[in-house]
Amino acid sequence: MAVLQYREALRAAMTEEMERDSSVFLMGEEVAEYNGAYKVSEGMLEKFGPKRIIDTPISESGFCGLGVGAAMAGLRPIIEFMTFNFSFVAIDQLINNAAKIRYMSGGQFNIPIVFRGANGAAGQLAATHNTSTESIYATIPGLKVIAPSNPDDAKGLLKSAIRDNNPVIFLESEVMFGWKGEVSDAVDYLIPIGKARIAREGTDVTIVAHSKSHYIAMEVADQLALEGYSAEVIDPRTIRPFDIDTVIESIKKTNRCVIIDESNPFASISSEITYQIQERAFDYLDAPVLRITSKDVPAPYAKNLIEYYMPQAKDAYDACKRVMYVK
Amino acid sequence: MAKQTRKTPAKSPSKATSTTKKAPSRSRAKKVVPEGTFPTSLELNVTFDTYPAGKFTHKDLGLSIDDVLSMYRNMLLQRRFEERAAQMYGKQKIAGFLHLYIGQEAISTGTSTAIKIGLDSIITAYRDHGHGLALGMTANECMAEMFGKVGGCSRGKGGSMHFFSKEKGLFGGHGIVGSHVPVGVGIAFAHKYKEDGGVSIAFYGDGAAGQGSVHEAANLASLYELPSILVVENNHYAMGTAVHRAFAETEFTHHAVGYKMKAALVDGMDVFSVCKAMQDHVALARENKPSMLEIRTYRYRGHSMSDPQKYRTKEELESKKNEDPIIRLKAYILEHKMTSVKALDAIDEDVKDEVLASVEFAENSPVPDLSEIYEHIYDESDYPYLA
Ligand SMILES: Cc1ncc(C[n+]2csc(CCOP(=O)(O)OP(=O)(O)O)c2C)c(N)n1
Ligand SMILES: [Mg+2]
């Protein structure tokens, strides 16, 4: 096991896949000469040269469309968004082209492309720079959506995403890029897309949380453990396809579920998971499914407001207590 | 042989306008290409006006000595305000992204001197402090905004990147590169629609010129003949990307040609050059003749507060500092004996006091009440948010 930063794990995944397959290339703003706005691609220009590590103008719509075309024509592009907030400039390419061309061509064209970059809130950046995009992209048939919470998952899943023959939205985090974790040394380490990870086993309540929210879940589980309650923590890792089976199996054991998700709540990942739970495990539930999300508002700048905006461990803890009917 | 010149096509009513009297005046005649006239070659012959540094005196611009001194104060206020802001960022009073305008002040001040503040409209990107202060927004409301306080121009909701002032005609401060440029054209559309005589000026960076929306906006402004000026503040870099690494055509004036728009090149280190260019192009815009300006400038600081600046040399930076627009204006003032060194020092002291007072104002301004998180999203005060 090597200890890597989240950004280093991503870099390792891209590097290995580029060494393995000459049709893989990386394109995006500041990825080459500047070594990446968040240093994810540091050193890759030196290693692979300007043919395969390509700086772009600030033309998201253009270079995402270019990626789709290159993918249709047999290459395997990795397109980096400096952050996913800027993917909205290119959303037509993601939603209308990447996601739908395979279908509309009756399966003639694969679109093996990965759109990756930072997603979600990252502090006092105000409304346009703090969007959690997972529910927006997960609603689109034809896209896969992945949101790893740690370096190991980041590596194993990014490698799988690059090999996948479908367009994959790969959501990272500005906040987590520097976080460290153990990463498997296995040669060709692949984690299957669509498989959740049970991060902690428990019997009293199931907590489902992806990406940064996973750490809130672990914190709450620790707190509950001190009081003698055992929480099961599930990190879905992939948002679409969603591994509902793992969640249902857990609820059959705990009969309770709390979801933590940094997205805005309306029509979100938590809404979808809750629907699927009530459909599949209604008879197992001893309490309503509760969720802790960001507030139902755009992200504010002021420090106190953005802190209030984000999902709080305290609220998640209270929610677990509520579904367990304990004080 | 088709030869494009800068001349606007002669106005002649289109067929659509002749049938209904009230139809909007679309003066571009529809050209029906007769059979057999397919050109054997096409030529393009375009020249552009330029506004070099040192070419214009304050008298050429119709400015009084008082006007010049207030321009000096205005530029100095932006400079001192941002120097202080950087310090406050270091003290973590300001967070998030902070992009300084230091070096580019001649553009904001040259513009605000040439327009009718209150009537005309300005929109810009996240590097917005200079434009805000130039338009007369107070240092207090600007500093408090960056402190995330209710005394801020946007009540602490927007921060450094999102200054807005309806009163002064600042339509933002925008964080998504390029996407405010069509909005600027929309503001021009409204000026024309309402026939209020105002013009709209949209500022954007060299990097932003790579966004499709900027080009769509340029075509719309020209097609609809809007009172619009699109202004590239070419500070030579978009983050770490030098212009020549991002553009096949690095002359931004040439971009205007494809949209049949007048364009000019301006030296942005001389406030008089900027002011003259703005006077001329605002006058055109008031006649619904849109245009594009490339203003060459330089940012002395990093892109934002976390920029190691490896993409440029110290020598380059130092040589550009010799062109400092504030030092240039100061020299001009003294050369023309408009006032004394002592009086200019007094202006500097006065500006510093104003900035220090703004820090105190920002410190003392309250943080927003948590309930404010649900304010200013919808028009309704009882909107049913999920809680
Ligand atoms: C659509 C979009 N893509 C990327 C970014 C990240 N970004 C912020 S500023 C910037 C550089 C812009 O450079 P330029 O337009 O030249 O303006 P300058 O910063 O020089 O004033 C980039 C890439 C963004 N904010 N929006
Ligand atoms: Mg620039």
Side-chain angles (χ1 to χ4, degrees), chain B residues 3-78:
Chain B
K3 184 165 181 174
Q4 189 188 331
T5 65
R6 296 309 305 158
K7 286 203 188 100
T8 346
K11 305 228 167 189
S12 63
S14 72
K15 281 197 180 135
T17 48
S18 58
T19 49
T20 38
K21 269 188 185 157
K22 288 238 160 154
S25 68
R26 283 289 317 284
S27 57
R28 261 161 230 266
K30 272 184 195 150
K31 283 184 197 155
V32 182
V33 182
E35 295 272 337
T37 60
F38 193 84
T40 49
S41 72
L42 287 170
E43 261 178 57
L44 189 61
N45 190 0
V46 192
T47 51
F48 302 93
D49 292 338
T50 65
Y51 296 80
K55 186 170 175 194
F56 306 99
T57 66
H58 67 288
K59 286 184 186 149
D60 297 335
L61 307 180
L63 299 172
S64 69
I65 290 178
D66 278 353
D67 290 336
V68 174
L69 293 179
S70 83
M71 287 165 91
Y72 179 73
R73 188 185 192 286
N74 188 277
M75 287 166 74
L76 209 51
L77 175 64
Q78 296 167 54

Side-chain angles (χ1 to χ4, degrees), chain A residues 29-30 57-60 63 81-83 85-89 128-129, chain B residues 97 99-101 104 125-127 161 174-179 204-211 232-241 243 247 299 302-304:
Chain A
E29 290 157 22
E30 310 286 1
I58 312 171
S59 310
E60 284 86 357
F63 65 75
F81 288 119
M82 198 171 279
T83 78
N85 300 290
F86 314 140
S87 72
F88 296 153
V89 172
T128 59
H129 282 58
Chain B
F97 292 132
H99 309 87
L100 301 181
Y101 197 61
Q104 305 185 206
Y126 44 83
R127 207 176 291 286
M161 298 195 289
H174 294 270
I176 302 299
V177 168
S179 69
Y204 53 98
D206 46 278
Q211 285 290 16
V232 192
E233 294 191 53
N234 178 3
N235 60 13
H236 304 280
Y237 295 96
M239 284 190 156
T241 303
V243 168
F247 291 91
R299 70 165 153 71
H303 168 75
S304 66

